[in-house]
Amino acid sequence: MTKVYIVGAGPGDVELITLKGLRAIKEADVILYDRLLNEELLTYAKPGAELVFCGKLPNRHAMIQEHINESLVRYAKEGKVVTRLKGGDPFVFGRGAEEAAVLADENIPFEIVPGVTSGIAAPAYAGIPVTHRDLSGSFAIVTGHRQAGKDDDLKWESLVNIETLAVYMGVKNLPYIVSQLRRFGKSPQTPVALIHWGTYDKQRTVTGTLETIERIVDEEGIENPSMIIVGEVVRMREKIAWFNEQSVLQTALK
């Protein structure tokens, strides 16, 4: 029976995919998969399944979004079971809602399979809880990379009142993010962490403050994909870091 599964594959560690997501991989006749995805998951595909790479780089796309949408519709109308495999969660900066809307317009049955998002998983692997009874009772996820002309849409004056911020895709815009947070009242001593390739064996973490983090990131060569975590919860890393990182980069928060 024709169906499209829009599946969140999790942040990288293959064991973080859900049972339902794994079943969707195993049942698929066609899997359309993204770049920031642990390709070990594709080894669970059934023999003969067609694997279609849809990876996107900032300035180069293997398949533009319109073609991805068209492919989902075409394969489904051919009577195939299709799994759209996306890193993290499909509804957290994953354009899963756009793909689902196209399928709905075409009256194609689909299911959304949530995934573990990197804004929670990457800091957890770095020993950083996004909430904490004593340190943070509020948590927000924020895009660090807006569409052209929309950089100022974010309400930074409101975001500074959130105790923990998880910023996705923000390394390139780190100076702007830091400047906006400081402009609207975040203390320069607010702790910040960047987690590179979170939950993978090659994970690396650097910590600093809003005053020092730009220099640290530049010195250590931290690039995307990285999660940026802003808030006092970053200090918990000193006590509960548990994951055996390939290169643990410690920076004093004092």
Side-chain angles (χ1 to χ4, degrees), residues 4-19:
V4 177
Y5 295 94
I6 300 177
V7 177
D13 185 336
V14 293
E15 293 185 318
L16 293 181
I17 193 168
T18 64
L19 290 173

Side-chain angles (χ1 to χ4, degrees), residues 100-123:
V102 170
L103 296 170
D105 288 341
E106 296 288 338
N107 295 312
I108 294 170
F110 64 90
E111 285 190 34
I112 309 298
V113 182
V116 179
T117 186
S118 58
I120 296 171

Side-chain angles (χ1 to χ4, degrees), residues 217-236:
V217 165
D218 183 61
E219 289 175 352
E220 301 296 349
I222 300 297
E223 300 176 338
N224 278 320
S226 296
M227 283 301 311
I228 304 170
I229 306 297
V230 181
E232 291 298 320
V233 290
V234 171
R235 298 187 187 277
M236 293 298 297

